[in-house]
Amino acid sequence: MNMDRRSLLGLIGGGAVALPASQAGAQTPGTVAFLHGVASGDPDRHSAVFWTRVTPADANSGDIEVRLEVARDEAFADIVRTSSGLRARAERDFTVKHDLDGQGLEPGQGYFYRFVAGDVVSPVGRVRTLPEGATPDLSLAVVSCQLYPGGLFNAYDAIAKLDRLDAVVHLGDYIYEYGAEADDYGMVTGAALNRLPQPPHEIVSLEDYRLRHAQYKSDPDLQAAHARAPFICVWDDHEVTNDSWVSGAENHQPETDGDYATRKATALRAYYEWMPIREAAPGALREAINRTFHFGDLASLMMVETRLSGRSEQLTYEKDLTFAAGPDGQPAPDVAAFRTRLADPSRDLLDARQRDWLGRELAASKAAGRPWQVLGNQVVTARVAGPNLSQMASPQQIATMIGSLPEAVRPQVAQLIELFKSGLPFNLDAWDGYPVGRERLYQTFKVAGVTPVVLAGDSHAFWVNDLKDDAGERRAVEFGTSAISSPSPGDFLGAFPLGMALTQANPEVEFCDQKAKGFVLLKFTPEALTAELHTVSTILAKPYEARVLATYRVAQADGGLGPLEKQG
């Protein structure tokens, strides 16, 4: 996300076991524990990726032998698959990740799983394989943006308590890279809650990234959500560093942080170690994690990668907006020149390889007769111009609102208010910063003959959008999830209704809430999709209350999708 977040936005485990000293190449006598829970991910019809981390008594000791058990029942009386001889190795930070390689499980069924190291048993997780053939319904939770110091992960507790859940779609910002200084991102809340990031500095090294992942997975609410259902994940920027693109990032300074390519490779190594995601194929780019999941004859989910493999560098108002003499001879923003730069046809979030792949997958899903094509995309796609507050409030009201903000952000907010009078985009780090690339994406939808459901994270806000191309033709519907715990722009604007202002200013925006935290629950049937925007009452304390902020329905219709209909 392009706005300067630091200024503008500001133990589940088993017991212990003594392992035999005679076990060749294994952990020496001592204790081990499962302190980071269990997880599954990337399900297919007969398998999934199963993950855990074994904490050794001595990090310098040898491998730890681990066994995976998968059963039909929670008591593990009916075990259907056992994988022995797995090893937690120091070279992978003692994480264990195992794929059943498409064997042993039945399509569309729920299972329980656990890991065993000697006499120590991990927590129990639940997994559901992808269905095959006729599929009457599907339930997906969509999540994004979980800043550990930003607040409690109450939304994950709510997800863990859902009665029906087939999978969790995580759109990125699983970890954040910032440190624990008083002015670091989220630390006002983090200090109050004693949720201080570890290590307490910005992460750069492999040890740093591993420790940060370990801290996040020590959170009991996140562990509960992972144990509830398989996760289908893609990273956004903070898994590496803020506002990443192919060759750099806003929050990377080579003189202090070293080589960017090295940092990116380091971050991805830790990500693959700590996440329940299939490894990149031999010889493939580790950045290329675009992949497809078919839910029987009902839906296809295409996860795209919009950060590290094809993204051009972001434009920013601070560095790319130039000034020219205005009508009164005084310097004024050269909006026309900025729009020309914005419309550079070379700018995109997807490279040709991934866009071609997406087109083939969309067309194949439609040819197979599936009514729903879903795009697991990281950033907001809709056209969202910043609100022209001069049309919504008096100068005195605007001045009062600016005066109510923290002093450090007032100049930046005042500047944005002036810029938005020209209809410039609200967020240049989203698809709005790559308008020609977005048209290429819409052309891909058109050629494939589909009107997909696009998902979005990153913005820390809820969105319901009706997406149209430059010609005004409807190309998709979009549901954006707010953050689990990361600060939202509206959090810093007092009583000003930013979400309402953005809705009124933008024809593509049907609904926007810039303050609530939570997740989106999507419920598919062959006839219609229902999207529920779930929120939690607080991320600062427990207990909390969960509620549905808004519900929208979109039905299948001849030639595409029907209108977005708000329920209730």
Side-chain angles (χ1 to χ4, degrees):
M1 189 173 181
N2 175 264
M3 294 184 195
D4 183 349
R5 289 173 166 174
R6 285 193 258 194
S7 59
L8 179 59
L9 305 181
L11 287 171
I12 299 175
V17 61
L19 299 176
S22 60
Q23 191 171 348
Q27 171 88 356
T28 54
T31 59
V32 300
F34 294 95
L35 300 180
H36 301 92
V38 297
S40 66
D42 283 12
D44 59 30
R45 290 175 300 164
H46 299 287
S47 182
V49 173
F50 296 89
W51 179 94
T52 194
R53 201 259 183 169
V54 186
T55 300
D58 182 357
N60 295 318
S61 52
D63 300 348
I64 303 168
E65 188 166 324
V66 182
R67 180 174 75 252
L68 168 69
E69 297 176 346
V70 184
R72 289 191 176 91
D73 64 312
E74 193 170 6
F76 286 80
D78 186 8
I79 295 177
V80 297
R81 183 70 187 267
T82 299
S83 298
S84 301
L86 307 179
R87 299 237 166 191
R89 304 178 186 273
E91 64 200 43
R92 288 187 64 91
D93 203 19
F94 294 100
T95 60
V96 178
K97 192 158 59 172
H98 184 62
D99 188 348
L100 295 182
D101 297 325
Q103 310 214 351
L105 307 182
E106 298 175 5
Q109 298 298 311
Y111 295 91
F112 297 88
Y113 65 94
R114 67 187 181 187
F115 291 87
V116 182
D119 293 333
V120 182
V121 181
S122 76
V124 173
R126 298 165 66 180
V127 66
R128 189 171 187 85
T129 53
L130 299 188
E132 185 175 57
T135 303
D137 54 23
L138 171 66
S139 180
L140 300 175
V142 183
V143 300
S144 180
C145 303
Q146 55 203 53
L147 178 68
Y148 185 84
L152 303 178
F153 291 171
N154 288 338
Y156 276 131
D157 179 67
I159 287 172
K161 293 174 179 174
L162 291 173
D163 292 333
R164 168 69 188 278
L165 183 62
D166 294 299
V168 177
V169 180
H170 199 299
L171 298 176
D173 291 346
Y174 188 97
I175 65 168
Y176 282 75
E177 79 277 16
Y178 299 116
E181 296 293 332
D183 61 346
D184 274 330
Y185 184 48
M187 277 306 299
V188 172
T189 301
L193 295 177
N194 196 30
R195 286 174 70 89
L196 310 181
Q198 294 296 326
H201 54 261
E202 184 174 321
I203 54 176
V204 177
S205 71
L206 179 59
E207 181 182 3
D208 290 343
Y209 279 100
R210 284 171 166 174
L211 185 55
R212 190 63 58 86
H213 274 281
Q215 180 182 44
Y216 275 62
K217 278 203 171 67
S218 71
D219 184 274
D221 293 328
L222 179 54
Q223 287 190 18
H226 271 298
R228 174 63 182 85
F231 273 50
I232 298 172
C233 301
V234 66
W235 53 65
D236 194 30
D237 52 342
H238 289 286
E239 286 86 350
V240 179
T241 189
N242 184 51
D243 285 359
S244 303
W245 55 288
V246 169
S247 302
E250 178 274 332
N251 191 33
H252 182 85
Q253 291 74 43
E255 61 274 12
T256 56
D257 300 329
D259 177 63
Y260 174 72
T262 299
R263 184 180 188 180
K264 179 169 68 172
T266 296
L268 296 193
R269 175 176 173 177
Y271 184 90
Y272 277 112
E273 289 172 349
W274 278 86
M275 296 296 291
I277 184 174
R278 284 189 172 84
E279 301 284 325
L285 289 172
R286 290 177 72 80
E287 294 93 329
I289 57 170
N290 51 291
R291 59 215 194 278
T292 301
F293 300 86
H294 298 302
F295 294 85
D297 65 354
L298 182 60
S300 297
L301 169 65
M302 278 70 71
M303 301 294 287
V304 298
E305 198 286 317
T306 62
R307 280 289 172 189
L308 305 180
S309 59
R311 178 186 280 254
S312 312
E313 183 176 5
Q314 300 90 339
L315 298 182
T316 70
Y317 293 123
E318 181 180 18
K319 86 178 160 55
D320 296 299
L321 182 65
T322 58
F323 288 77
D328 58 358
Q330 297 299 311
D334 192 340
V335 174
F338 185 82
R339 289 191 182 280
T340 298
R341 294 195 66 181
L342 201 62
D344 182 341
S346 69
R347 298 181 49 73
D348 211 329
L349 298 185
L350 302 178
D351 58 17
R353 174 202 59 81
Q354 188 175 182
R355 191 166 51 251
D356 290 346
W357 164 85
L358 178 60
R360 293 192 299 270
E361 293 295 302
L362 291 169
S365 177
K366 181 183 179 181
R370 297 184 182 94
W372 300 102
Q373 290 76 40
V374 186
L375 201 64
N377 151 79
Q378 287 72 69
V379 296
V380 172
T381 313
R383 288 176 173 82
V384 183
N388 184 351
L389 297 190
S390 66
Q391 297 177 349
M392 304 177 184
S394 69
Q396 181 58 45
Q397 289 172 320
I398 295 173
T400 300
M401 186 270 288
I402 294 175
S404 70
L405 300 177
E407 187 174 354
V409 305
R410 292 173 193 169
Q412 191 172 357
V413 172
Q415 181 187 45
L416 288 173
I417 288 173
E418 287 300 311
L419 287 177
F420 291 158
K421 291 180 180 179
S422 302
L424 289 172
F426 181 65
N427 182 7
L428 295 172
D429 190 48
W431 278 98
D432 255 341
Y434 304 81
V436 179
R438 179 170 54 198
E439 284 301 298
R440 284 191 284 262
L441 177 68
Y442 289 164
Q443 182 66 17
T444 300
F445 297 167
K446 180 179 179 180
V447 170
V450 299
T451 307
V453 176
V454 177
L455 309 179
D458 182 68
S459 72
H460 309 178
F462 283 112
W463 301 87
V464 179
N465 301 323
D466 216 17
L467 305 183
K468 297 179 175 63
D469 63 18
D470 282 348
E473 295 295 322
R474 192 189 199 204
R475 291 298 167 214
V477 297
E478 181 172 47
F479 297 100
T481 184
S482 187
I484 296 292
S485 61
S486 301
S488 300
D491 294 341
F492 297 85
L493 298 180
F496 180 74
L498 178 59
M500 184 183 298
L502 289 168
T503 303
Q504 293 176 353
N506 293 284
E508 292 188 17
V509 180
E510 297 284 335
F511 178 88
C512 179
D513 188 295
Q514 289 277 331
K515 287 190 175 183
K517 305 295 187 292
F519 62 96
V520 174
L521 186 64
L522 302 177
K523 300 177 180 180
F524 295 87
T525 68
E527 296 78 28
L529 161 64
T530 300
E532 298 174 352
L533 280 52
H534 286 243
T535 70
V536 293
S537 59
T538 180
I539 58 172
L540 302 178
K542 291 181 181 296
Y544 65 92
E545 294 181 0
R547 70 182 182 96
V548 176
L549 176 66
T551 300
Y552 280 80
R553 183 179 184 272
V554 58
Q556 289 288 329
D558 291 340
L561 301 180
L564 284 162
E565 300 175 338
K566 191 170 185 179
Q567 306 295 289

